[in-house]
Amino acid sequence: MTPVEVTQGDSPVILALPHTGTHVPENIRIDLQPEALSLRDTDWHIHTLYDGLLPGATKVRATFHRYVIDANRSPSDDNLYPGQNTTGLVPLTDFDGRPLWTKDPGEDSVQARLAEYHQAYHDALRAEIRRVKALHGVAILYDCHSIRSHIPHLFEGTLPDFNIGTNDGHSCNEILQDTVHRICNAAPGYSTVLNGRFKGGWTTRHYGRPESGVHVIQMELAQSTHLVSEAAPFIYDPEKAEPLRGHLARILETLETLAPSLRKPA
């Protein structure tokens, strides 16, 4: 299986999907704890949720699971949230703090996964950012995520429905950040936070360079917004998802509309 799937579009918007993949090669799967085989920490059905919302958008999707290697972590495995519980480049525990492996992956295994999976994903993402920016003079990368709304090991209480991350405003133009925040705030029945527990992962922080025409926004959705239950078998709920898809479509369409205003004069 190819480690990354790319669908090229002609929009200035790129959808990145680093955590929807469920492929775990057998030579890696064999070392997973039995409880980890459910792949509980997947961003379940996010590729389905966003499907068709912006027909011209480019999509870059990792097919490998985040337990293999996390495509939204730094290759040097820097801690994105110092002082808070989190998971690493090749995570040793799941989101609940439980061990993932019967034996921890060694450095040779980590380096092999970096080369085969992580680098392949980011090579593809960089190529699409360059291509889209060449077409439009600007690229807007929208990083698509989801997570369970209750994970005491990672955060207290219940996570808001919309978790917008812009690295505290450094990864995109302020107009984009404020517009997305306004759309989410206006969505009836949904809760929203800007740069709360999730401010954006390595993708947001690494590629977000608004001064050079690359703008990045991470959207972390609570899985309660589109799943029947935040427990196995993690079934997609079309009735819940439909109103959410309407709000997400508005976000993406608005980002596309705003893109020309972000181009710098020649």
Side-chain angles (χ1 to χ4, degrees), residues 3-117:
V4 57
E5 296 174 346
V6 176
T7 304
Q8 291 186 333
D10 57 6
S11 169
V13 176
I14 302 166
L15 303 183
L17 301 110
H19 292 154
T20 69
T22 56
H23 177 61
V24 181
E26 188 54 39
N27 65 315
I28 294 175
R29 179 182 291 271
I30 196 171
D31 291 328
L32 279 173
Q33 296 278 2
E35 302 82 22
L37 294 173
S38 67
L39 308 179
R40 189 179 185 196
D41 299 329
T42 306
D43 289 17
W44 293 105
H45 306 292
I46 282 294
H47 54 297
T48 301
L49 185 68
Y50 281 93
D51 187 46
L53 295 186
L54 191 67
T58 292
K59 289 182 283 188
V60 180
R61 178 182 180 237
T63 61
F64 54 92
H65 195 263
R66 65 186 304 156
Y67 292 167
V68 175
I69 194 165
D70 193 329
N72 200 31
R73 297 292 183 271
S74 163
S76 58
D77 203 13
D78 300 327
N79 190 333
L80 296 174
Y81 297 99
Q84 296 176 291
N85 289 333
T86 186
T87 53
L89 178 65
V90 174
L92 300 182
T93 63
D94 66 11
F95 288 169
D96 299 297
R98 300 175 302 189
L100 285 174
W101 308 99
T102 57
K103 60 178 182 179
D104 288 351
E107 184 60 22
D108 288 348
S109 177
V110 172
Q111 292 303 315
R113 298 182 201 190
L114 263 173
E116 186 171 357
Y117 300 103

Side-chain angles (χ1 to χ4, degrees), residues 11 173 211:
S11 169
N173 184 286
E211 69 280 0

